[in-house]
Structure formats: C-alpha cells, structure tokens
Amino acid sequence: MAQQEHVYLLKRGVIYWNQWRQEHPEALIDLSKATLSGSDLTSINLSKADLTMTNFSAATLKMANFKEANLTMANLSATDLRMANLHAANLHAANLREADLREAVLSAANLKVADLSWADIRGAILDGAIFDMTILDRTKKRGGLWGLFS
C-alpha cells in the first residue's frame, strides 16, 4: 500500500517532488495502489519506485522517469507517455491500452502479459524489451520486424 507521506509529497507538485527526490536519493518510494488518474505528472521522477497496481489512467506522464520502476499490474490506459523513460521497468501485466508511447524508451522493459491494444509505440526504443504474451491488438507501430507481431 502506498506510503501516505509519498502521496502527500507528490500532491504538492512535480517540481516539489523532483526536488525532494534529489535531496533524498536513498528513499524507497512506495506509491503502490495509489490513484493518480488524470494527473499531470509531466517530467516526474519515479525511477525505481514501487508503483504496483497504481492507477495512472488518463494521466499526462510526458518525459516522466520510470527507469527501473515496478509497474506490475499498473493501469496506464489512455496515458500520455511520450518520451518517457521506462528503461528496465517492470510492466508485467500492465494495462497500456490506448497509451501514447511515441518516442518512449522501453529498452530492457518487461512487457510480459501487458496489454498494448490501440497503443501508439511509433518511434519507441524497444531494444531488449520482453514481449511474451503481450497483447498488441491494433497497436500503432513502425514497420520492419514489427510485422512479426501482427
């Protein structure tokens, strides 16, 4: 369950949160099961955070840093994740339906059993991403090797 202190700090705004994170790099961030749907969290630093089952639906997460974050079973449906850093993030069974992931970094991300139906991943960096039973129904993607997933 999310630590209430972390939820409180986050609700003070992205600038405040990012400054706090910079001053407390050792802090273990727990926002698991938090409801952050519809929030504007552009450029937020949530690297290495526990975001298990967090609801981000319809949130603006452009240029957010989710590097090595645990987003297992998180709801990221209809989110704006353009240019977000999801390098080595655990997105196992995450809901990314209709998410905008254009130019996002998903290298080494775990996308096992994730739902990317209707998502836009054009221009995303996918080197080493794990796609095992990932749902890619009507996902907007560039050509090339992606033809194998159609």
Side-chain angles (χ1 to χ4, degrees):
M1 190 63 93
Q3 289 185 14
Q4 289 308 311
E5 175 192 5
H6 294 161
V7 174
Y8 171 75
L9 291 168
L10 188 61
K11 294 204 183 242
R12 294 192 68 183
V14 172
I15 293 170
Y16 185 87
W17 173 268
N18 286 346
Q19 181 179 343
W20 182 84
R21 283 291 310 263
Q22 195 169 21
E23 294 169 0
H24 300 87
E26 76 294 339
L28 299 175
I29 306 304
D30 183 358
L31 291 166
S32 59
K33 298 182 182 177
T35 300
L36 301 168
S37 54
S39 301
D40 184 353
L41 300 172
T42 300
S43 299
I44 190 85
N45 179 2
L46 291 170
S47 62
K48 298 185 180 180
D50 182 358
L51 302 165
T52 305
M53 298 176 66
T54 298
N55 183 359
F56 287 106
S57 63
T60 301
L61 301 164
K62 288 186 293 194
M63 298 178 285
N65 183 0
F66 289 103
K67 184 178 180 182
E68 299 176 18
N70 184 358
L71 289 147
T72 300
M73 296 176 61
N75 183 358
L76 294 152
S77 61
T79 55
D80 184 349
L81 283 155
R82 286 177 290 162
M83 297 178 281
N85 182 358
L86 292 144
H87 172 77
N90 184 0
L91 291 151
H92 184 266
N95 178 358
L96 290 152
R97 290 179 68 89
E98 299 180 36
D100 189 345
L101 289 151
R102 286 177 290 169
E103 300 180 38
V105 176
L106 288 156
S107 55
N110 176 3
L111 291 158
K112 288 182 181 178
V113 197
D115 185 354
L116 277 85
S117 300
W118 297 93
D120 190 342
I121 58 173
R122 292 176 292 179
I125 298 169
L126 303 164
D127 301 347
I130 302 166
F131 290 93
D132 186 12
M133 298 189 332
T134 304
I135 301 166
L136 296 165
D137 184 42
R138 301 194 184 206
T139 302
K140 294 177 188 165
K141 50 199 176 280
R142 64 179 178 257
L145 295 176
W146 279 105
L148 298 173
F149 293 104
S150 298

